[in-house]
Amino acid sequence: MTPPTPLHLSLAGQAVDVLREQVLTGEIPAGSRVNEVEVAHKLGISRGPLREAIRHLASEGLLTLVPHRGAFVPGADPGDVKALFELRTALECAAAELAASRRTDVDLVRLHEVCAESRRNYRSGQPFPYRLDLAFHQALITAARSPHIAEQVRLVQQRVVLLRSALEDDPPHQHASMDDHDELVKAVEDGDAARASTVMRRHLSRVCAQMLTSLNH
Amino acid sequence: MTPPTPLHLSLAGQAVDVLREQVLTGEIPAGSRVNEVEVAHKLGISRGPLREAIRHLASEGLLTLVPHRGAFVPGADPGDVKALFELRTALECAAAELAASRRTDVDLVRLHEVCAESRRNYRSGQPFPYRLDLAFHQALITAARSPHIAEQVRLVQQRVVLLRSALEDDPPHQHASMDDHDELVKAVEDGDAARASTVMRRHLSRVCAQMLTSLNH
DNA sequence: AGACTGCCAACTGTCGACAGTTGACATGTT
DNA sequence: AACATGTCAACTGTCGACAGTTGGCAGTCT
């Protein structure tokens, strides 16, 4: 059924997926080094494709390259966290504004859906899975309909996930986040771009502060 | 004088610089393909480092990769230009806000310097070099002191330069841009973040509209 | 004439091997 | 003992060659 379609991704592409997963889940812990021959052998490929995969992940900020030394999983530096959240705030506030002026009905349905699932999860007493938080922000940038902003948001959120994996998971303040999310959906629903941006900024500033305190134990 | 320092960048790094230059200046025209063996031979290197260079430029948006076909210099699509400027606006408005609240005296000196040179150039009757426009925006993001935002702005501006190289250069509206720049400096000097953001948004919206008209001849 | 089929050259994807550099350990010196 | 120097294994940077895929062209059939 896929005769001409190269169903099999290139080896480099596959390696990117596998490595990204391992880095984001902390399977390859922060600070550790990626040995080319070792990993290539483990993946059953040669060093060429693996190198391309490593460079790709480095361009996404998931690895840091040191000439003649190799690739390392970056750790969490408080100063860098603040700078990263400045970028995230710039991107997601803009996304919130655009979403407020461009959202369709299906976007709103999706946003309400995610919020409802969060509430359900909260009442069940279970810990707040980051999955739901990501789903919310994902739904928002979808509503913004700005492909370049969406791509950058994806990259930044990925780096935030990496930072979180380096933290001993403090359960996120689900209640505060849920309230922020609800308020955001309301602003987007009303088409109030300015309010959406303001709420997003407050939300992210709260999340950032929380991560910084987690960093100092 | 640089005994341990690997003064010579890696071959891949050198190739990145050379290729970036050739792509941005239009020496490799939009739509054309980059033949690996041919270019590698021309640069006197092997295909390995060249491939890494190509992938790197692709991650910067300066090349588009097609599996089993190779790398192409992307052309200018009006819809994409709008989306790109949405990203640029998000980033540079945030930078303008931050600059207004963080700028030091040396930042202000630099900003005034660039504006003054623009006025001098204008009075001399010469065409407005994009160099001065880039210098202004560069000075602004320096004043913002947000490394991640700065990096992303650099990448976006690079793509704008690529778009411009694909256009038959219409001289930019220097007068309007100069006024915008002056107004921006004033807002930054006053520490008025909201105003800086507003002016930047208007400025970029103007520049974007101008590029779109240039696209339709 | 037009459409389909099978071949072919060109190019990308991948591999294994060689060369140069780095950090660490061992040895010698003050 | 602390420091400087020499040596070495491990790893990255680079290269040339092979295999698989793509798009185009010639030839054939309707």
Side-chain angles (χ1 to χ4, degrees), chain B residues 131-161:
Chain B
R131 192 195 102 246
L132 286 174
D133 186 63
L134 282 177
F136 178 83
H137 291 268
Q138 180 63 43
L140 197 78
I141 66 173
T142 299
R145 274 168 231 309
S146 188
H148 285 104
I149 291 183
E151 173 65 6
Q152 295 305 318
V153 169
R154 190 186 69 77
L155 292 175
V156 171
Q157 286 185 345
Q158 199 171 241
R159 296 191 58 173
V160 173
V161 170

Side-chain angles (χ1 to χ4, degrees), chain A residues 6 51-52 55 59 80 83-84 86-87 90-91 94 97-98 102 145-149 152 159 201, chain B residues 51-52 55 59 68 80 83-84 86-87 90-91 94 97-98 102 145-149 152 159 201:
Chain A
R51 277 176 70 91
E52 289 187 3
R55 304 305 162 114
S59 79
D80 196 60
L84 188 62
E86 285 170 8
L87 172 59
L91 293 170
E97 288 182 26
L98 290 173
R102 294 179 178 176
R145 291 197 165 67
S146 189
H148 285 103
I149 291 183
Q152 294 306 316
R159 297 192 57 173
R201 181 173 305 232
Chain B
R51 277 176 69 90
E52 289 187 4
R55 305 304 164 115
S59 79
H68 294 288
D80 196 61
L84 188 63
E86 284 170 9
L87 173 58
L91 293 169
E97 287 182 27
L98 290 172
R102 295 179 178 175
R145 274 168 231 309
S146 188
H148 285 104
I149 291 183
Q152 295 305 318
R159 296 191 58 173
R201 181 172 306 232

